[in-house]
Amino acid sequence: MTYVRFVERGETQCGYQEVELVRIIFKFFADDSAATAIEYGLIAANISIAIIAAVNGIGATLNKKYSSVSTSLK
């Protein structure tokens, strides 16, 4: 981070474009909003997988129950 302070003060031989490029690169690496969005996406995917697994299990159980009721009514 010391290098950034020197660049922002203009104490190096870099021109304005180089200073702006360095600033943009450091800003890009400091931004963690995309990581947060990815984490929320992974959480939502895990929840949906759990819901699908639960519904499949309940569906199989209900199918057996309805089959037994159907055969007893015949």
Side-chain angles (χ1 to χ4, degrees):
M1 289 293 190
T2 306
Y3 178 71
V4 175
R5 290 188 193 131
F6 288 134
V7 171
E8 287 177 352
R9 291 185 206 152
E11 297 176 7
T12 65
Q13 299 296 325
C14 295
Y16 175 74
Q17 291 176 340
E18 288 85 3
V19 171
E20 190 63 27
L21 179 65
V22 170
R23 189 175 296 147
I24 289 170
I25 290 171
F26 277 107
K27 186 178 177 182
F28 174 76
F29 285 116
D31 185 19
D32 61 349
S33 61
T36 304
I38 291 171
E39 289 169 355
Y40 282 129
L42 290 173
I43 291 170
N46 287 335
I47 290 172
S48 65
I49 289 171
I51 290 171
I52 290 170
V55 168
N56 278 338
I58 291 171
T61 304
L62 285 177
N63 191 14
K64 289 178 187 176
K65 294 271 187 190
Y66 284 127
S67 295
S68 70
V69 169
S70 174
T71 55
S72 66
L73 290 177
K74 290 183 181 179

